[in-house]
Amino acid sequence: MMHAESQQNMVEIRTLRKSFGSNVVLRDVDLTVKKGEVVVVIGASGSGKSTLLRCINLMEVPDSGRIVVGGEPIGQQNKDGSFRMFPEKIVNRKRTQIGMVFQHFNLFNHLTALENVTVGPISVKKMAPAEARELGMQMLTKVGLADKADAYPSRLSGGQKQRVAIARALAMQPMLMLFDEPTSALDPELVGDVLQTMKQLADEGMTMIVVTHEMGFAREVADRVLFFDAGVMLEEGTPEEIFTNPREERTREFLRRVLSPSAPGTTGSGRPATVTAIR
């Protein structure tokens, strides 16, 4: 969780816009994330949550706006209003400092868990293989998978694959971690270990932006919750504010639906909900 001494900004986004054809996905989004802060982004599918993450590390190039990560701009608005990426050298260096964990694990099936974790440090950071292996084992130990170092992805459960993906991102020693619905492809019984790993990172002070439908995680771990609707950050606040007394009717409607679509006290996936009922 965020500590008082870590108040400098890690991410600053101003008037960020992104469209795909005529579909406007992000509409003048302003967002500041402080160092050590855990920000959870919620909202219906298609509300712009994942696109926001992909713009932060320039997997998607915004139409306009300004993005600063770790005090260094990686892109900003030209005088004509269009978005200008900074030189490739700057962007690539910044990307190595931003860890990204996806819904689908994107592991290399022909590499062991340890090899998946070490490939980035060796190929991108030019780390010596022995040093990378030591670092990789440290990261696998952190996510509770040291005993799976020599296992190939085909021998791992979905939850184990996702924890290897987290270890892989951590091996690049990022300043910021982005999680794009990291548990949505997992069977319910496999979710807990992944969420626990993420909670551990939060407790250690990692700056995190997490897109998720796991409302219990948002309630327990987030410093701040953002609700996105139709490309707009409609509401933000502490978990207590968002989950017990949201200001916007659209937020209340979304939370009522996601917390009890099929039965009282369950999330959309049927998992137990650990958040207070919405007023």
Side-chain angles (χ1 to χ4, degrees):
M1 305 294 282
M2 187 174 59
H3 303 289
E5 67 271 17
S6 300
Q7 297 294 301
Q8 69 190 74
N9 294 338
M10 179 62 74
V11 179
E12 297 179 46
I13 296 173
R14 296 292 176 265
T15 61
L16 186 67
R17 291 182 64 87
K18 176 63 180 177
S19 301
F20 296 101
S22 60
N23 182 26
V24 181
V25 182
L26 294 174
R27 304 170 185 268
D28 295 326
V29 173
D30 290 327
L31 173 63
T32 298
V33 178
K34 296 184 182 300
K35 182 179 179 182
E37 189 176 19
V38 179
V39 172
V40 172
V41 187
I42 63 174
S45 297
S47 60
K49 310 182 302 297
S50 295
T51 301
L52 172 68
L53 296 190
R54 294 173 69 87
C55 284
I56 290 173
N57 69 358
L58 295 183
M59 293 178 70
E60 299 286 355
V61 179
D63 299 330
S64 61
R66 175 176 167 85
I67 301 174
V68 178
V69 178
E72 182 176 28
I74 57 176
Q76 65 183 18
Q77 198 160 294
N78 288 324
K79 291 181 179 179
D80 64 1
S82 63
F83 187 85
R84 175 170 63 92
M85 284 178 61
F86 277 21
E88 187 175 356
K89 183 178 180 180
I90 293 176
V91 172
N92 287 340
R93 185 180 74 251
K94 191 56 64 177
R95 279 186 178 133
T96 68
Q97 299 170 333
I98 302 172
M100 182 96 175
V101 177
F102 301 89
Q103 175 179 346
H104 299 289
F105 329 112
N106 296 344
L107 299 181
F108 294 109
N109 290 324
H110 66 290
L111 300 180
T112 66
L114 181 58
E115 288 168 341
N116 267 282
V117 173
T118 59
V119 66
I122 291 172
S123 63
V124 177
K125 289 196 163 186
K126 309 304 180 185
M127 188 177 290
E131 183 183 358
R133 181 179 176 84
E134 181 179 353
L135 174 63
M137 286 304 302
Q138 291 174 5
M139 295 303 102
L140 286 175
T141 299
K142 178 185 283 287
V143 301
L145 290 176
D147 61 329
K148 299 294 184 182
D150 296 325
Y152 288 90
S154 62
R155 308 295 296 176
L156 301 175
S157 70
Q160 290 169 337
K161 290 177 184 176
Q162 191 61 291
R163 283 187 284 155
V164 171
I166 293 172
R168 177 182 59 187
L170 292 175
M172 295 297 288
Q173 300 172 308
M175 62 172 62
L176 169 68
M177 285 287 288
L178 308 176
F179 292 87
D180 189 6
E181 300 193 15
T183 61
S184 61
L186 301 179
D187 293 333
E189 65 269 20
L190 302 177
V191 168
D193 287 341
V194 173
L195 293 180
Q196 184 58 41
T197 298
M198 294 168 62
K199 183 178 184 301
Q200 177 186 338
L201 293 178
D203 289 342
E204 293 172 356
M206 174 64 74
T207 309
M208 299 164 54
I209 305 177
V210 183
V211 169
T212 186
H213 292 292
E214 298 289 344
M215 299 297 137
F217 174 85
R219 179 64 182 259
E220 181 179 0
V221 179
D223 293 300
R224 189 156 44 111
V225 177
L226 316 179
F227 175 67
F228 269 65
D229 183 57
V232 175
M233 189 168 69
L234 191 62
E235 185 165 359
E236 65 174 310
T238 66
E240 183 71 14
E241 290 167 342
I242 295 298
F243 287 116
T244 64
N245 193 29
R247 298 187 310 273
E248 301 290 337
E249 175 57 34
R250 183 70 187 89
T251 313
R252 292 193 289 271
E253 176 189 342
F254 169 79
L255 289 172
R256 280 195 296 265
R257 188 173 70 251
V258 80
L259 292 176
S260 56
S262 55
T266 63
T267 66
S269 58
R271 302 173 194 140
T274 59
V275 296
T276 308
I278 305 304
R279 296 172 184 169

